[in-house]
Amino acid sequence: MALSKLENLYRQMILDHAMHPHHYGFLKAASHKLELRNPTCGDVLNVQVILKNNKVAQVAFSGSGCTISQASASMMTDEVLGKTPQQIEKMVTTFSKMVTGNPPQNYEEILGDASVLEGVAKFPARIKCATLAWKAIYQALANDQQESTVGFMRHDQ
Amino acid sequence: MVKKMSEYRADFPILNQTVNDEPLVYLDNAATAQKPRAVVQAITNYYYHDNANVHRGVHTLAERATQEFEAVRDKVAKFINAPSREEIVYTKGTTEGLNWVAASYGSTHVKAGDEIVISYLEHHSNLVPWQQLAKKTGAILKYIDLLPDGELDLTSARRQITDKTAIVSLTQASNVLGVVNPIKKIAALAHQHGAIMVVDGAQSTPHFKVDVQAMDADFYAFSGHKLMAPTGIGVLWGKSELLADMPPLEFGGEMIDWVQLQKTTFKAAPWKFEGGTQNIAGVIGLGAAIDYLSAIGMDRVQKHEQQLVNYLLPALLEIPGVTVYGPHDPAKHSGVISFNLAGLHPHDVATALDMEGVAVRAGHHCAQPLMEWLKVAATARASLYLYNNLADAQKLVEAIKATKEFFNHGTI
């Protein structure tokens, strides 16, 4: 039956992350934070980061969303720990390329477990769900103010 | 010889295809309807034989195009029982119609302290224009509450509509909950208090007989594409005396009477609102769609959809873990059914249904305040039209069961 195709998207690891997300919650002393909304579906995602010595020492996310957006956020938090904003920028770009079907050769190395989301490329309607958390951390780190700000998803992202 | 309802499906070539290796079951009609051959052919004929700009040419094609363009005004007037063809203003859709009422009538008739009354049911296009108008004029935007099953609360309506109310604007049929509002009662209430009644007809005009005089509306807006016409064409109907009084919003060619160096006089309504070259092919397509619907008969369309709801609503309610929003009594529910599956986000549900060939919408349906009222982030929504059949409804039910199974048992 046609639902078998879903297995390319909803891999076990993705379902596990969505069911039991890592780093879910808030950080008291975040150095960078951002709220990002997906206007297409109304999902809201909060990302908070503590940057120490130019590396992500702690990260947390909260919000509600579909399996893909929650799993992607959970995996993102795993992968960015210990990384510099420059490394994260590269990860975000790589992730975007991967889910739009143009992964660079070493994408698995750059994205770690999050590369399991590559199946999203076959489901174009779900690309925004997958990229929400990655755009959020990218914009959060680019935001130098201590105040939480609201970011924007553009239609072409 | 009148065709059976089941025979109309063959007029829609798009429905005869597979999606993800499954036969397409199109249940996203509240977003946009599919187009019958008759509509596509009318547009093709226009471009192949009659294309010219309207109202300004002396030559034969220009005359033909103008006649067809203006003839649709009569068809629309008859279709919604407007007293005059000159009350039919072409727009690009419901959103534009409602925005024009807010920007033109609203900004010349609403002052600080006045009230604008809408409801929790409204689509953003019948909410944001009023919010903007309130912000600009200092008016107060008020909401009519809903009963627990999503029907409009008439007690709340009586409380919210007061002598300070200038405009009441409501949807005739909800794009989320499937409820149909008693516009006539609300219009009477609005008029008692000296307010005007604006009606968003986007979800009603395609599905049942609309009579703007019987409901005693002052303005009524609807879109062509939801009733099988092309996108980018819609209608704003308004009472003559109100349209006469309204300033145009777009100035330029076609809408003028006489232009001098320092001043200009405008044409009468509806033409003063139709600045610039209009969506002529869209208007021709709208005319063809109205002919198509009229040949079937709106009563038959409504009856057919109601029969499908009579099966679908109880069938969905029987599936454990399915929540249906809006009234559970099929008699109170039109062919727009919003639902969620326990523990699943509607986006995941919609992707799974798509793999089964079933097209539904998932999201907030441009009704975020209503989502808040329902205390959900989003819902899935199946919406019916005249070409859907019992097999479509059954396939939806089966596909929902399969989706539940897939996510519950993690068959991966």
Side-chain angles (χ1 to χ4, degrees):
Chain A
M1 75 175 178
L3 276 189
S4 57
K5 285 185 196 146
L6 276 185
E7 295 175 6
N8 299 326
L9 181 61
Y10 297 100
R11 309 277 292 274
Q12 190 58 50
M13 196 196 288
I14 294 172
L15 295 175
D16 289 346
H17 272 273
M19 203 80 86
H20 308 287
H22 305 176
H23 310 107
Y24 192 91
F26 289 93
L27 298 175
K28 271 186 192 154
S31 59
H32 296 74
K33 37 184 163 175
L34 189 100
E35 177 182 303
L36 197 58
R37 297 173 189 161
N38 183 350
T40 352
C41 59
D43 283 356
V44 183
L45 197 85
N46 279 284
V47 168
Q48 304 185 318
V49 180
I50 297 177
L51 209 59
K52 263 189 198 157
N53 304 322
N54 201 38
K55 282 182 179 164
V56 174
Q58 283 186 63
V59 61
F61 85 96
S62 60
S64 67
C66 61
T67 302
I68 303 302
S69 79
Q70 296 292 288
S72 184
S74 171
M75 289 177 179
M76 180 276 290
T77 57
D78 280 353
E79 298 302 325
V80 298
L81 274 173
K83 301 282 193 329
T84 66
Q86 292 71 29
Q87 287 171 310
I88 291 167
E89 187 176 342
K90 190 171 183 196
M91 293 167 76
V92 173
T93 319
T94 305
F95 188 86
S96 262
K97 286 183 176 161
M98 177 185 78
V99 295
T100 48
N102 304 299
Q105 269 191 347
N106 55 344
Y107 74 101
E108 286 169 310
E109 196 185 308
I110 297 170
L111 295 174
D113 280 355
S115 59
V116 73
L117 282 159
E118 66 184 319
V120 170
K122 296 238 162 56
F123 296 81
R126 307 304 297 278
I127 293 169
K128 279 187 199 168
C129 314
T131 52
L132 186 65
W134 299 81
K135 304 279 179 201
I137 189 140
Y138 174 74
Q139 291 185 28
L141 292 171
N143 168 30
D144 284 335
Q145 281 132 30
Q146 299 286 304
E147 292 300 303
S148 184
T149 3
V150 176
F152 290 98
M153 283 284 273
R154 286 168 35 187
H155 261 292
D156 55 356
Q157 284 181 324
Chain B
M1 171 97 185
V2 183
K3 287 209 275 185
K4 283 191 221 149
M5 279 314 289
S6 59
E7 290 176 291
Y8 293 106
R9 192 180 177 97
D11 296 336
F12 297 81
I14 200 170
L15 297 176
N16 186 23
Q17 65 174 299
T18 55
V19 163
N20 298 314
D21 302 325
E22 297 281 334
L24 169 64
V25 173
Y26 185 77
L27 296 175
D28 195 17
N29 294 290
T32 199
Q34 300 303 346
K35 321 303 174 198
R37 273 196 196 86
V39 167
V40 180
Q41 270 163 8
I43 297 164
T44 307
N45 286 345
Y46 165 72
Y47 277 128
Y48 282 179
H49 303 291
D50 306 328
N51 178 50
N53 212 332
V54 295
H55 292 145
R56 56 191 86 171
V58 179
H59 59 80
T60 303
L61 291 193
E63 185 48 34
R64 238 190 258 158
T66 304
Q67 268 185 17
E68 289 179 46
F69 180 83
E70 287 301 325
V72 175
R73 244 186 261 279
D74 296 292
K75 286 181 189 178
V76 174
K78 194 175 162 209
F79 188 60
I80 61 171
N81 194 30
S84 157
R85 66 186 306 277
E86 292 175 9
E87 296 177 340
I88 305 299
V89 185
Y90 293 134
T91 64
K92 67 178 188 210
T94 310
T95 301
E96 189 169 72
L98 294 169
N99 269 279
W100 281 1
V101 178
S104 176
Y105 178 90
S107 60
T108 47
H109 290 81
V110 174
K111 55 184 195 305
D114 283 356
E115 295 167 350
I116 302 161
V117 178
I118 62 174
S119 85
Y120 281 95
L121 282 173
E122 304 314 315
H123 186 284
H124 294 162
S125 59
N126 194 30
L127 189 163
V128 186
W130 306 117
Q131 219 173 44
Q132 294 297 309
L133 176 65
K135 212 167 132 185
K136 207 161 76 182
T137 57
I140 301 147
L141 183 60
K142 293 165 77 179
Y143 289 80
I144 299 174
D145 208 347
L146 309 179
L147 296 171
D149 72 351
E151 288 179 284
L152 202 69
D153 181 347
L154 294 179
T155 312
S156 168
R158 278 188 284 272
R159 211 169 35 237
Q160 296 296 62
I161 299 168
T162 72
D163 286 342
K164 285 184 180 167
T165 306
I167 296 173
V168 180
S169 188
L170 288 182
T171 188
Q172 190 175 14
S174 165
N175 71 317
V176 179
L177 298 182
V179 296
V180 177
N181 285 329
I183 297 295
K184 198 176 172 175
K185 279 187 189 166
I186 305 293
L189 205 54
H191 293 148
Q192 269 170 32
H193 291 281
I196 61 151
M197 182 77 223
V198 183
V199 181
D200 168 356
Q203 297 292 343
S204 47
T205 322
H207 302 286
F208 51 84
K209 177 109 196 77
V210 163
D211 185 333
V212 292
Q213 295 187 73
M215 74 177 85
D216 203 13
D218 295 289
F219 290 101
Y220 188 92
F222 67 94
S223 299
H225 71 97
K226 290 190 205 287
L227 50 80
M228 304 177 296
T231 51
I233 186 66
V235 168
L236 172 67
W237 168 82
K239 281 184 178 160
S240 298
E241 58 272 29
L242 298 178
L243 290 177
D245 205 26
M246 274 164 62
L249 289 166
E250 283 174 10
F251 305 95
E254 202 48 47
M255 50 79 66
I256 54 93
D257 169 52
W258 192 253
V259 180
Q260 292 163 277
L261 284 179
Q262 302 299 337
K263 63 176 185 188
T264 295
T265 51
F266 308 124
K267 281 185 178 159
W271 299 280
K272 70 176 174 184
F273 297 107
E274 297 172 1
T277 296
Q278 295 295 294
N279 180 359
I280 306 168
V283 168
I284 306 294
L286 175 65
I290 288 175
D291 286 344
Y292 187 83
L293 278 170
S294 305
I296 302 172
M298 292 310 290
D299 291 342
R300 285 177 76 210
V301 171
Q302 185 180 12
K303 195 177 154 203
H304 174 75
E305 289 175 21
Q306 195 58 51
Q307 279 168 351
L308 294 179
V309 173
N310 290 348
Y311 159 75
L312 186 55
L313 194 58
L316 290 175
L317 287 166
E318 256 177 38
I319 306 171
V322 169
T323 304
V324 174
Y325 303 98
H328 288 182
D329 175 2
K332 290 179 174 179
H333 210 117
S334 69
V336 174
I337 303 181
S338 291
F339 61 94
N340 269 325
L341 267 66
L344 277 178
H345 191 281
H347 266 190
D348 297 316
V349 174
T351 293
L353 295 179
D354 185 47
M355 290 300 109
E356 292 274 301
V358 181
V360 299
R361 168 92 188 261
H364 53 60
H365 316 293
C366 298
Q368 286 183 325
L370 178 58
M371 294 296 114
E372 209 167 292
W373 187 89
L374 290 169
K375 297 187 175 65
V376 296
T379 76
R381 179 188 72 186
S383 48
L384 306 161
Y385 209 13
L386 58 95
Y387 38 71
N388 289 121
N389 54 28
L390 191 60
D392 290 343
Q394 284 165 337
K395 175 71 195 190
L396 171 67
V397 171
E398 279 166 32
I400 288 174
K401 287 178 180 166
T403 301
K404 250 187 74 178
E405 190 74 8
F406 178 87
F407 283 103
N408 282 352
H409 296 287
T411 55
I412 307 152

